[in-house]
Amino acid sequence: MSRPLVPALALVALVVTAVTSGCAPSPSPQAPVPTSSAVEPSVDPTRTPPSPSASPSAPLDEITAIPECGALVSVDRMRTVTGDARLEGFGEDRTRTTDSLPGPVAGATYDGSGRTRTCAWGIASSPMSVMLSVAVIDAQARDTLTSALDASPEFERSRSGDVTVYTTPKEGEDRAYLAYGFDGPVWAIVDGTLVDAASSATLAAEAVSATLD
């Protein structure tokens, strides 16, 4: 008479289970997510950022040149937007430094941009002025910067046509206002003592559109 096979089969099953259990790799602990300190200029962790910006409307390589100052914003248009008829065009006699932009991400983005142009308007023999800079940046740099701006309670986001605009007053006695405009690879920066949140946003959006036209 043959022996029952059930105990033997049960023993084999136990051995197989033990072997496979011992060979299966344990789940590796999840790597900690690095915390970025590159925010503009501070982060509110309770604030939910808006949806990401739309895809670029023009490839980076298609922006071969940034228009001259008068084509970006004319003197007459600058006088109309600021409401000051004394404004004169100073052309490109001023240079923007990266430390004039709040936060490390904005400074690094501007410093790494492929092409820039900076223009100025003002009242002669006075500190009253407006500065406009236009930079051409790639999509990754733009998305990194706008994500930092979205996370910052210092900036307010809005839309002007196809242009995404961020505005904030800079710190200081003169309370110069600052506005950024983005569309595709074009980034416009407007600040000065003769603009407020609304006029700086308008000028930034118009400079972006003029560059893409």
Side-chain angles (χ1 to χ4, degrees):
M1 175 182 291
S2 59
R3 296 182 179 179
L5 295 178
V6 174
L9 291 177
L11 178 60
V12 171
L14 289 174
V15 172
V16 171
T17 301
V19 171
T20 55
S21 298
C23 294
S26 301
S28 57
Q30 185 175 359
V33 178
T35 302
S36 173
S37 60
V39 296
E40 307 295 296
S42 60
V43 172
D44 179 357
T46 64
R47 181 176 175 179
T48 302
S51 301
S53 302
S55 300
S57 59
L60 182 66
D61 294 340
E62 288 189 10
I63 309 298
T64 57
I66 299 172
E68 295 184 358
C69 296
L72 286 171
V73 179
S74 68
V75 175
D76 288 342
R77 180 58 180 162
M78 182 64 70
R79 290 170 177 169
T80 298
V81 174
T82 61
D84 199 317
R86 300 171 296 170
L87 276 174
E88 300 176 10
F90 294 158
E92 296 185 55
D93 67 345
R94 302 188 186 185
T95 303
R96 182 178 296 282
T97 59
T98 56
D99 59 6
S100 69
L101 301 174
V105 180
T109 303
Y110 188 80
D111 190 50
S113 59
R115 291 178 293 279
T116 62
R117 185 184 296 276
T118 296
C119 310
W121 297 259
I123 300 172
S125 302
S126 85
M128 309 299 285
S129 64
V130 180
M131 184 178 289
L132 161 67
S133 296
V134 175
V136 179
I137 59 179
D138 61 37
Q140 181 177 358
R142 179 205 62 213
D143 291 347
T144 298
L145 177 53
T146 55
S147 293
L149 296 171
D150 286 335
S152 171
E154 306 284 338
F155 284 84
E156 181 176 343
R157 175 174 174 158
S158 61
R159 296 282 294 181
S160 178
D162 293 330
V163 181
T164 300
V165 178
Y166 294 86
T167 56
T168 186
K170 293 171 62 178
E171 296 180 358
E173 286 185 358
D174 55 4
R175 197 170 171 78
Y177 278 84
L178 170 70
Y180 294 151
F182 297 91
D183 187 7
V186 181
W187 172 29
I189 307 161
V190 175
D191 58 358
T193 55
L194 289 170
V195 289
D196 57 17
S199 58
S200 60
T202 296
L203 293 169
E206 291 184 1
V208 170
S209 298
T211 304
L212 291 171
D213 285 346

